[in-house]
Amino acid sequence: MLKTIGVLTSGGDAPGMNAAIRAVVRTGCESGMRVMGIRRGYRGLLDGDMFEMNLRSVSDIIHRGGTMLYSARCPEFADPEMVQKAVDVCHEFGLEGIVTIGGDGTFRGARDLTLRGIQCIGLPGTIDNDIASCDYTIGYDTALNTIMEMVDRIRDTTESHDRCSVVEVMGRNAGYLALNAGIAVGATCILIPEVDYDIDSYIIERMRRTQKTGKQHFIIIVAEGVRGIDSKSLARYIQEKTGVESRATVLGHVQRGGSPSVRDRVLASQMGHYAVELLKQDIGNRVVVNHKDQIVDYDIIEALNMKKTIDLELYRVANDISI
Ligand code: ADP
């Protein structure tokens, strides 16, 4: 069993990261390990910015969004010299393993550290759900619920004024948030990066057709990663073509914050516990993910090479019923 492990959060923060930290710290401490909290991801690791945690260090955080360990980008970590520097810091503090919570970038850092002898376990923390090996990432469910609540509010005013609301949601490379939230809010059209669009046939024609059946207000969900479409220009174009007063709303960082949902808290707790169970057996270089409702682990390099495709059948369902 490893004697001293660390835990860090890296990349974009996601609700539920705190629940994962809590599970790592509690499982580690109860197993007799020394657990160090590393602040601000790989940046804090390089700076030796860490402190010893105990059972009570993680009290009252399970319901909080963000991450009590803070997060940061540290692009220089892609440089092998910096990774070696981090390994030296690990030796200095006696760190033999680290649970790293973040996205694919974070997993790449974890892979590089493991190749140099520090046993790392990656946990998927990102609201975008864009980790190929994982069905549901930590933070995704909360973000979906936040988007749904926000768009429900926008719908009230959209409906009162017979308007069209174009709502831009996060998802630079992936349309999971847009597709699932879009279905949940009954969006007329959903634009995701995985699909190419002709605006006239997909949006304008669809709006005209539904107008004829009495529909007077519209919600259009656009993922931020859809190429060549910015929500403000799209709203202007829709207004020009249909005569329906149209407004754009960019939801922005509100999607990242907030108290984690039940699903994210439970998932993060399971994953954090599982990660330490692996480290107890001296197993590193794994990511802990959920697949078909089971918590499983994969080799980090294999996981990074996996591909995940969006459910186009679900997309078809969305379009069939949003008329
Ligand atoms: P995410 O983990 O959410 O994908 P980033 O892509 O910003 O977010 O990655 C988080 C951090 O992981 C980076 O700031 C950097 O420290 C580290 N990282 C990213 N890419 C690599 C890489 N190719 N090799 C080593 N470390 C990396």
Side-chain angles (χ1 to χ4, degrees), residues 124-144:
T126 163
I127 63 164
D128 291 347
N129 203 33
D130 58 349
I131 293 180
S133 55
C134 187
D135 292 349
Y136 257 78
T137 56
I138 297 167
Y140 174 53
D141 184 62
T142 306
L144 278 177

Side-chain angles (χ1 to χ4, degrees), residues 34 46 103 126 132 142 150 169 196 215-216 218 255 295 313:
R34 192 164 159 253
L46 284 170
T126 163
T142 306
M150 295 297 132
V169 303
D196 290 328
K215 195 174 173 82
Q216 284 166 325
F218 306 85
Q255 296 163 90
I295 306 290
E313 180 54 24

Side-chain angles (χ1 to χ4, degrees), residues 10-12 42 72-75 77-78 102-106 108-109 111-112:
S10 156
Y42 295 122
R73 312 257 180 211
C74 177
F77 211 70
D104 279 347
T106 302
R108 289 195 178 92
R111 169 204 62 196
D112 294 349

Side-chain angles (χ1 to χ4, degrees), residues 58 115 128 196 235 254:
V58 288
L115 290 173
D128 291 347
D196 290 328
V254 73

Side-chain angles (χ1 to χ4, degrees), residues 6-132:
V7 53
L8 62 79
T9 48
S10 156
D13 66 310
M17 281 183 163
N18 278 327
I21 295 167
R22 175 176 174 273
V24 169
V25 172
R26 296 249 166 108
T27 312
C29 289
E30 278 299 276
S31 311
M33 290 168 154
R34 192 164 159 253
V35 184
M36 305 294 286
I38 302 161
R39 295 190 187 89
R40 297 185 176 81
Y42 295 122
R43 173 151 324 281
L45 181 62
L46 284 170
D47 294 342
D49 185 6
M50 62 183 88
F51 60 104
E52 185 165 348
M53 301 182 84
N54 60 40
L55 295 175
R56 297 282 71 76
S57 316
V58 288
S59 298
D60 298 320
I61 63 165
I62 195 161
H63 60 298
R64 298 220 174 109
T67 157
M68 70 165 291
L69 291 175
Y70 307 102
S71 190
R73 312 257 180 211
C74 177
E76 62 267 36
F77 211 70
D79 173 357
E81 270 183 38
M82 287 295 127
V83 178
Q84 186 52 49
K85 188 174 169 218
V87 171
D88 295 342
V89 173
C90 290
H91 291 154
E92 189 188 322
F93 284 86
L95 282 183
E96 298 161 306
I98 305 179
V99 180
T100 65
I101 309 167
D104 279 347
T106 302
F107 293 170
R108 289 195 178 92
R111 169 204 62 196
D112 294 349
L113 283 169
T114 309
L115 290 173
R116 288 165 194 262
I118 308 296
Q119 300 281 46
C120 288
I121 307 288
L123 299 190
T126 163
I127 63 164
D128 291 347
N129 203 33
D130 58 349
I131 293 180

